[in-house]
Amino acid sequence: MSSYQNILNDFLEQWPLEKVKAMSLDQYVSTGDRNTFTQWVENRTIELGSISGQFGSRMFGIYRRGNSSPLDHYENDEFYTWSKKYGKDSDLAFLAIKKHLINIINYSLTGNFSKIDAIPIPDIFKWKVAYLYSNERLIPIFQREVLKEIATYYGLPVNSKTTVSAIQKVLIDNKPLELNTHEFMVELWSKFRPQKKKPKGISTTQQDQGEKSTNDQERSGTSSYIAKQTHNKIQNKLRDKLIAKYGESCVACEKNYVDLTLTYDDTITLYEVKSDAYAATCIRQALGQIIQYAHRLDTTKKLKLYVVGQYSLKANEKPYLDYIQKNLKIDIDYMSIDLK
């Protein structure tokens, strides 16, 4: 597992949606506490994209002052400073901000990114939050000027009304199949970053890694846990759909290690479920497994193979599946199960 994945998984383990819903103001923002939500988003996940800059703590909507003075044109009390639009006192302001954050997270989890544009939280902060909960369906670049330059490069006419969600869609549509979102971010940042500025923690060149370590290493268990939960949701929903259509007697779950097996008429259909955010990666991960499962079957029935993921096959992923179908000469396809 890569370093960035460990960081992302650690964040999601520390700040699941249910904990955000129960979060107090002191848990959201404080001074000298590295475990607050805002500390995690800004600093402890900095390798996943920097949001430091001219906004400072104001991007959080509300912040606790250390030795700094109250700000003009903002609401201030003994401890906190916040934007007037969120409320007259710090408690009301925090409740409004938390409601916005919960909406951002829910929209991100379900892929409704266009709904995030209008939420009144500063862009640089809300899109970092959105990325962290997006199942890597966003590219972790948050500086608007850089995003505009990249979008223009890919042919999107950009003006002051162009939304971040529209730009992110262009970026995702142009992500090479062989790169994950973090790798694509590094590639884009190396081309479009402002001169003499580079987010801390981001390397723009791939170095020779030398001999790989063979020592035992501790790995975060969060990734497998999160992936397993998504896997189970997909598997259960598909199982319910198959049973509703063919009957329970025709559907087997985890038989001979196969996620789902459908036996109907003269055909056996094997389903291998993967939880990755991209269909092409699901296919790549599942291909060897599902072919091996098919090879083990001793049957005269027809065989049909499906790789199953959460998201639909994108236009730039279809040639990959077409190549497999044409050259391997096996009856294999991809299907998506919507978890919204």
Side-chain angles (χ1 to χ4, degrees):
M1 186 190 306
S2 67
S3 172
Y4 97 88
Q5 288 172 321
N6 278 326
I7 294 169
L8 179 58
N9 294 329
D10 287 345
F11 170 81
L12 293 172
E13 183 178 48
Q14 182 70 26
W15 286 105
L17 176 57
E18 293 307 311
K19 185 174 178 180
V20 175
K21 289 179 178 179
M23 176 173 63
S24 67
L25 176 53
D26 284 343
Q27 290 174 315
Y28 177 62
V29 65
S30 189
T31 55
D33 184 353
R34 295 188 70 247
N35 286 313
T36 62
F37 182 84
T38 51
Q39 274 288 316
W40 270 93
V41 173
E42 181 182 15
N43 295 315
R44 298 189 67 174
T45 59
I46 195 169
E47 290 186 41
L48 309 184
S50 174
I51 57 173
S52 300
Q54 61 180 342
F55 290 100
S57 298
R58 290 174 296 164
M59 66 182 167
F60 306 143
I62 185 171
Y63 67 94
R64 186 181 178 102
R65 297 189 308 277
N67 298 322
S68 59
S69 301
L71 287 183
D72 294 336
H73 311 299
Y74 282 76
E75 296 285 357
N76 302 274
D77 64 14
E78 184 180 359
F79 301 108
Y80 295 97
T81 293
W82 64 95
S83 176
K84 292 181 178 181
K85 63 187 174 186
Y86 298 126
K88 288 293 186 180
D89 63 60
S90 57
D91 289 332
L92 288 175
F94 171 65
L95 288 176
I97 291 164
K98 184 165 76 167
K99 181 179 179 181
H100 292 320
L101 288 171
I102 291 168
N103 286 336
I104 290 167
I105 293 169
N106 279 321
Y107 289 140
S108 192
L109 288 170
T110 56
N112 292 321
F113 300 120
S114 62
K115 298 283 190 180
I116 297 173
D117 289 305
I119 294 176
I121 296 287
D123 275 359
I124 198 166
F125 181 64
K126 75 180 178 186
W127 284 105
K128 176 70 178 284
V129 173
Y131 163 74
L132 292 169
Y133 291 93
S134 71
N135 195 19
E136 299 190 65
R137 303 290 290 181
L138 297 169
I139 304 300
I141 294 176
F142 310 107
Q143 292 82 353
R144 185 169 179 83
E145 291 306 311
V146 178
L147 287 171
K148 287 167 62 177
E149 189 174 349
I150 297 170
T152 301
Y153 173 81
Y154 283 117
L156 178 69
V158 176
N159 56 45
S160 60
K161 295 183 179 180
T162 305
T163 61
V164 173
S165 66
I167 295 174
Q168 282 286 346
K169 184 179 185 303
V170 170
L171 269 58
I172 287 294
D173 287 345
N174 284 278
K175 184 186 76 67
L177 299 185
E178 66 274 12
L179 299 182
N180 61 42
T181 55
H182 188 265
E183 291 166 340
F184 190 39
M185 176 272 285
V186 171
E187 182 177 283
L188 291 173
W189 189 260
S190 69
K191 294 179 181 178
F192 298 101
R193 71 184 186 275
Q195 291 299 312
K196 298 183 180 179
K197 293 182 181 179
K198 184 177 75 169
K200 180 181 177 182
I202 293 178
S203 171
T204 59
T205 58
Q206 185 173 4
Q207 302 294 329
D208 185 341
Q209 299 299 307
E211 184 177 356
K212 297 295 182 69
S213 172
T214 58
N215 296 329
D216 291 339
Q217 300 179 45
E218 281 194 26
R219 300 280 186 170
S220 169
T222 314
S223 176
S224 58
Y225 172 77
I226 293 170
K228 187 65 175 176
Q229 295 305 301
T230 303
H231 176 283
N232 290 347
K233 290 177 183 178
I234 297 170
Q235 185 178 20
N236 291 340
K237 192 165 184 178
L238 176 58
R239 179 177 180 270
D240 291 344
K241 290 180 67 172
L242 293 175
I243 289 174
K245 185 172 182 179
Y246 299 102
E248 190 167 3
S249 63
C250 295
V251 180
C253 185
E254 303 291 350
K255 181 181 179 181
N256 296 324
Y257 304 104
V258 182
D259 286 327
L260 288 163
T261 303
L262 171 66
T263 306
Y264 189 76
D265 290 341
D266 64 343
T267 302
I268 296 177
T269 306
L270 306 182
Y271 299 87
E272 179 62 24
V273 175
K274 293 298 176 185
S275 59
D276 195 85
Y278 295 91
T281 307
C282 291
I283 295 168
R284 184 166 66 246
Q285 292 173 348
L287 192 58
Q289 282 180 275
I290 200 166
I291 290 175
Q292 183 181 27
Y293 297 154
H295 171 71
R296 286 204 307 249
L297 285 177
D298 183 14
T299 181
T300 58
K301 291 180 179 289
K302 296 177 184 177
L303 280 180
K304 174 73 178 179
L305 311 180
Y306 275 103
V307 177
V308 187
Q310 181 179 354
Y311 300 101
S312 59
L313 195 72
K314 299 172 73 67
N316 67 335
E317 296 174 312
K318 190 175 184 303
Y320 174 53
L321 179 58
D322 291 343
Y323 179 87
I324 292 170
Q325 292 170 330
K326 177 181 177 181
N327 289 277
L328 295 188
K329 295 181 173 60
I330 55 177
D331 191 358
I332 187 169
D333 211 338
Y334 175 83
M335 67 184 299
S336 60
I337 297 295
D338 190 352
L339 296 182
K340 295 178 185 177

